[in-house]
Amino acid sequence: MITLEHVSKTFTSHGQTVTAVDDVSLEVGEGELHVLIGPSGSGKTTTMRMINCLETPTGGRITVDGRDVQTMNVVDLRRGIGYVIQQGGLFPHFTVADNVAVVPRLLGWPRQKRRQRAEELLALVGLPPELFADRYPRQLSGGQQQRVGVARALAADPPIVLMDEPFGAVDPITRKQLQRELRRIQAEVRKTIVFVTHDIAEAFLLGDRIVLMAEGRIVQNATPADLLRNPADPFVTSFIGEDRGLRSLRFTSLAELAGPAPPGARPNGMILPGTLSILDAGRELAAHRDAAGDGIWVGDTTGQPIGYLTFQQFATVLGESLGDDAETPHDETAHAIHH
Amino acid sequence: MMRRRMRYIIEHPDRMLELTQEHVWLVAISVLIAMLIGIPIGILITRLRWLEGSVIGVTGVLYTVPSLALFSVLMPYTGLGARTVIIALVLYSLLAIVRNTVTGIDEVPRPTLDAARGMGMTGSQRLLLVELPLALPVILAGVRLATVAAIGIATVGALLGAGGLGQLIFDGIARGSTDRIVAGAISASVLALVADWALAQLGGRLRRDVQIAGR
């Protein structure tokens, strides 16, 4: 659990006072991933760097698990917080395994245990240790280096991980892959993560909450779905971008749209879980065309029907979201509806 | 002609070996002392930046003083012999070693240092585990420069009775024996070339080991 209470950071540059972070309050719950996003100069990186005392706030208070970071030993604090930066920031003169085991080494783990832990983590991030453990960072691709960076941050099993644009320097395809991997890993390890990016798609893909910043302030702090449905102001809308309708499909669940079942109707088609996003529901339907009945039955986690959605309603939602953009990559979805 | 000039070397292998050893010893001890002084000074400069101007300035001026002049300045205090020569060689070597230590540490990429800090390395851990290993090739390049220069300057040290290959050159001049002059000059040159090559090899290997990770 990380809390920021009215945190500010000003510094003096060429005789002028610059406010990098302006009265930011924020709470990151245990096991949650919060994305700090905003244009460059919005203070998102500075905000993150104050959590592990790489920057010192000039006002306000930051606590980690209830303890004020300012009063903690800075070295102990940092060893208890995983840290990933762009391009991994790997040590070029250490092997991959030694890079992963840096914090365990600082903590004085025995050699054997360090090695074992490094191999475990390399496997977790999808780098077979027998192939990668003894290589040097320069022998790895950018994406592989990033994976090592993530493994390194997790090595001593810190409850908190800070990630500073970790996937900013890799090509789009690798980036997408790394993002999916991070989601898989996060589902497994459930760390409290603060993730800085300027990529809105990345924010939507990864964030439990998205904290949109501009000029040192928080403009909106919301779940991805709320951000899409209730943008606080035109800045948010413009930052989210034109395809927000399409994105909202990903963050609106079937349960939110479903209404009561028509009287007398019985579940005759398949039942989809209510937690499924509209987009995923569309995919599901497309994959099981023959199984579909008159509409979509929405069920709870045990499969009990809790609501109903006609194909017409479903299509309307899709149509509104997709707008008149015929060139969507998801036209397989639309296809299934007209079926 | 050339063969005849090499006669001294061929006929006095024991003497040649002895003088070469003296020469190597003079240079090695001087460069070693210069490293022991210069590398910590270099590190200090990267921590206390205001020192940089004056320290580099002073070592730079020292470097430009002609060797004979430096010897005669030192002699009243340190007398004749190897000691004076070693002090002079140390002073000459400082510039390259201090400057390259500073440059080497400055060139460690910011993200690497940032990662080191963010992961909870203490100042001395950063220095020993990250900065010095990564700066090593550049520091070694400074050592190489200092060594080659010291081999040349050490020949003049024979004037103070410090021995070494310069001895042959001055003997040769005194006795009108060109063979001796050639023997001394060629040996010193070969020694410089060999030292240069050997340190370059070592530096190349280190550089490969710490080569900065490509994007």
Coordinates of all heavy atoms in Angstrom, one line a residue, chain A residues 204 224-225 227-229 231 237 240-252 278-279 316-325 328 330:
Chain A
F204 N -4.4 1.4 -20.7 CA -5.7 0.7 -20.6 C -5.5 -0.8 -20.5 O -6.3 -1.5 -19.8 CB -6.5 1.0 -21.9 CG -7.2 2.3 -21.8 CD1 -6.9 3.4 -22.6 CD2 -8.2 2.5 -20.8 CE1 -7.6 4.6 -22.5 CE2 -8.9 3.7 -20.7 CZ -8.6 4.8 -21.5
P224 N -10.1 2.3 -15.8 CA -10.1 2.5 -17.2 C -11.5 2.7 -17.7 O -11.7 3.6 -18.6 CB -9.5 1.2 -17.7 CG -8.6 0.7 -16.7 CD -9.3 1.1 -15.4
A225 N -12.5 1.9 -17.2 CA -13.8 2.1 -17.7 C -14.4 3.5 -17.4 O -15.0 4.1 -18.3 CB -14.7 1.0 -17.1
L227 N -12.8 6.2 -16.9 CA -12.1 7.2 -17.6 C -12.7 7.3 -19.0 O -12.8 8.4 -19.6 CB -10.6 6.8 -17.7 CG -9.6 7.9 -18.1 CD1 -9.6 9.0 -17.0 CD2 -8.2 7.4 -18.3
L228 N -13.1 6.2 -19.6 CA -13.6 6.2 -20.9 C -15.1 6.7 -20.9 O -15.5 7.5 -21.8 CB -13.7 4.8 -21.5 CG -12.3 4.2 -21.9 CD1 -12.3 2.7 -22.0 CD2 -11.8 4.9 -23.1
R229 N -15.8 6.3 -19.9 CA -17.2 6.7 -19.9 C -17.5 8.1 -19.4 O -18.3 8.8 -19.8 CB -18.1 5.7 -19.1 CG -18.3 4.4 -19.9 CD -19.1 3.5 -19.2 NE -18.4 3.1 -17.9 CZ -18.5 1.9 -17.4 NH1 -19.2 0.9 -18.0 NH2 -17.9 1.6 -16.3
P231 N -15.1 11.0 -18.9 CA -13.8 11.8 -18.9 C -14.1 13.1 -18.2 O -15.1 13.7 -18.4 CB -13.5 12.0 -20.4 CG -14.7 11.5 -21.2 CD -15.5 10.7 -20.3
T237 N -10.4 13.7 -22.6 CA -11.0 13.2 -23.9 C -9.9 13.2 -25.0 O -9.7 12.2 -25.7 CB -12.2 14.0 -24.3 OG1 -13.0 14.2 -23.2 CG2 -12.9 13.3 -25.4
I240 N -7.2 10.6 -24.3 CA -7.6 9.2 -24.6 C -7.6 8.9 -26.0 O -7.3 7.8 -26.5 CB -9.0 9.0 -23.9 CG1 -8.9 9.1 -22.4 CG2 -9.4 7.6 -24.3 CD1 -10.2 9.0 -21.7
G241 N -8.0 9.9 -26.8 CA -7.9 9.8 -28.3 C -9.2 9.4 -28.9 O -10.2 9.2 -28.2
E242 N -9.2 9.4 -30.2 CA -10.4 9.3 -31.0 C -11.1 7.9 -30.9 O -12.3 7.8 -31.0 CB -10.1 9.5 -32.5 CG -9.7 10.9 -32.8 CD -10.7 12.0 -32.3 OE1 -11.9 11.8 -32.6 OE2 -10.3 12.9 -31.6
D243 N -10.3 6.9 -30.6 CA -10.8 5.5 -30.7 C -11.3 5.1 -29.3 O -11.2 3.9 -28.9 CB -9.9 4.5 -31.3 CG -8.5 4.6 -30.7 OD1 -8.3 5.6 -30.0 OD2 -7.7 3.7 -30.9
R244 N -11.7 6.1 -28.5 CA -12.1 5.7 -27.1 C -13.3 4.8 -27.1 O -13.5 4.0 -26.2 CB -12.2 6.9 -26.2 CG -13.6 7.6 -26.3 CD -13.5 8.9 -25.5 NE -14.7 9.6 -25.6 CZ -15.7 9.6 -24.7 NH1 -15.6 8.9 -23.7 NH2 -16.8 10.3 -24.9
G245 N -14.2 5.0 -28.1 CA -15.4 4.1 -28.2 C -15.0 2.7 -28.3 O -15.5 1.8 -27.6
L246 N -14.0 2.5 -29.2 CA -13.6 1.1 -29.4 C -13.0 0.5 -28.1 O -13.2 -0.6 -27.7 CB -12.5 1.1 -30.5 CG -12.1 -0.2 -31.1 CD1 -13.3 -0.9 -31.6 CD2 -11.1 0.0 -32.1
R247 N -12.2 1.4 -27.4 CA -11.6 1.0 -26.2 C -12.6 0.6 -25.1 O -12.4 -0.3 -24.3 CB -10.7 2.1 -25.6 CG -9.4 2.2 -26.4 CD -8.3 2.6 -25.5 NE -7.1 2.7 -26.3 CZ -6.7 3.9 -26.9 NH1 -7.5 4.9 -26.7 NH2 -5.7 3.9 -27.6
S248 N -13.7 1.4 -25.1 CA -14.7 1.2 -24.0 C -15.3 -0.1 -24.1 O -15.7 -0.7 -23.1 CB -15.7 2.3 -24.1 OG -16.6 2.1 -25.2
L249 N -15.3 -0.7 -25.3 CA -15.8 -2.1 -25.5 C -15.0 -3.1 -24.6 O -15.5 -4.0 -24.1 CB -15.6 -2.6 -26.9 CG -16.5 -1.8 -27.9 CD1 -16.2 -2.4 -29.3 CD2 -18.0 -2.0 -27.6
R250 N -13.8 -2.7 -24.4 CA -12.9 -3.6 -23.6 C -13.2 -3.5 -22.1 O -12.8 -4.4 -21.4 CB -11.5 -3.2 -23.9 CG -10.5 -4.4 -24.0 CD -9.1 -3.9 -24.1 NE -8.9 -3.2 -25.4 CZ -8.3 -3.7 -26.4 NH1 -7.8 -4.9 -26.4 NH2 -8.2 -3.0 -27.6
F251 N -13.8 -2.3 -21.8 CA -13.9 -2.1 -20.3 C -15.3 -2.0 -19.8 O -15.6 -1.6 -18.7 CB -13.2 -0.8 -20.0 CG -11.7 -0.9 -20.2 CD1 -11.1 -0.4 -21.4 CD2 -10.9 -1.6 -19.3 CE1 -9.8 -0.6 -21.6 CE2 -9.5 -1.7 -19.6 CZ -9.0 -1.2 -20.7
T252 N -16.2 -2.4 -20.7 CA -17.6 -2.5 -20.3 C -18.0 -4.0 -20.3 O -17.7 -4.7 -21.2 CB -18.6 -1.8 -21.3 OG1 -18.1 -0.4 -21.5 CG2 -20.0 -1.7 -20.8
I278 N -17.5 -6.5 -23.5 CA -18.3 -6.6 -24.7 C -17.4 -7.1 -25.8 O -17.9 -7.9 -26.6 CB -18.8 -5.1 -25.0 CG1 -19.7 -4.6 -23.9 CG2 -19.6 -5.2 -26.3 CD1 -20.9 -5.4 -23.6
L279 N -16.2 -6.6 -25.9 CA -15.3 -7.1 -27.0 C -15.1 -8.6 -26.9 O -15.2 -9.3 -27.9 CB -14.0 -6.3 -26.9 CG -13.1 -6.3 -28.1 CD1 -13.8 -5.7 -29.3 CD2 -11.8 -5.7 -27.8
T316 N -26.4 -2.6 -31.0 CA -26.5 -1.1 -30.9 C -25.3 -0.6 -30.1 O -24.7 0.4 -30.5 CB -27.8 -0.8 -30.1 OG1 -28.9 -1.4 -30.8 CG2 -28.0 0.7 -30.1
V317 N -24.9 -1.3 -29.1 CA -23.8 -0.9 -28.3 C -22.5 -0.9 -29.1 O -21.7 0.0 -29.2 CB -23.6 -1.8 -27.0 CG1 -22.3 -1.5 -26.3 CG2 -24.8 -1.7 -26.1
L318 N -22.4 -2.0 -29.9 CA -21.2 -2.1 -30.7 C -21.2 -1.0 -31.7 O -20.2 -0.3 -32.0 CB -21.2 -3.5 -31.4 CG -20.6 -4.6 -30.7 CD1 -20.7 -5.9 -31.5 CD2 -19.2 -4.4 -30.3
G319 N -22.3 -0.8 -32.3 CA -22.4 0.2 -33.4 C -22.1 1.6 -32.9 O -21.3 2.3 -33.5
E320 N -22.6 2.0 -31.7 CA -22.3 3.3 -31.1 C -20.8 3.4 -30.9 O -20.2 4.4 -31.1 CB -23.1 3.4 -29.8 CG -24.5 3.9 -30.0 CD -25.2 3.9 -28.7 OE1 -24.6 3.5 -27.7 OE2 -26.4 4.3 -28.7
S321 N -20.2 2.3 -30.4 CA -18.8 2.4 -30.0 C -18.0 2.5 -31.2 O -17.0 3.2 -31.2 CB -18.5 1.1 -29.2 OG -19.3 1.1 -28.0
L322 N -18.3 1.7 -32.2 CA -17.5 1.6 -33.4 C -17.7 2.8 -34.3 O -16.8 3.1 -35.1 CB -17.8 0.4 -34.2 CG -17.4 -0.9 -33.5 CD1 -17.9 -2.1 -34.3 CD2 -16.0 -1.0 -33.2
G323 N -18.8 3.5 -34.1 CA -19.1 4.7 -35.0 C -19.1 4.3 -36.4 O -19.6 3.2 -36.7
D324 N -18.7 5.2 -37.3 CA -18.8 4.8 -38.7 C -17.5 4.3 -39.3 O -17.3 4.3 -40.5 CB -19.4 6.0 -39.5 CG -18.6 7.3 -39.2 OD1 -17.5 7.2 -38.5 OD2 -19.0 8.3 -39.7
D325 N -16.7 3.9 -38.4 CA -15.4 3.4 -38.8 C -15.5 2.0 -39.3 O -15.5 1.1 -38.5 CB -14.4 3.5 -37.6 CG -13.0 3.1 -38.0 OD1 -12.8 2.8 -39.2 OD2 -12.1 3.1 -37.2
T328 N -12.6 -1.3 -38.8 CA -12.1 -1.8 -37.5 C -11.5 -3.1 -37.6 O -11.9 -3.9 -38.5 CB -13.2 -1.9 -36.5 OG1 -14.0 -3.0 -36.8 CG2 -14.1 -0.7 -36.5
H330 N -12.0 -5.4 -35.8 CA -12.8 -6.4 -35.0 C -14.0 -6.7 -35.8 O -15.1 -7.0 -35.2 CB -13.1 -5.8 -33.7 CG -11.9 -5.5 -32.9 ND1 -11.0 -6.4 -32.5 CD2 -11.5 -4.3 -32.4 CE1 -10.1 -5.8 -31.8 NE2 -10.3 -4.5 -31.8

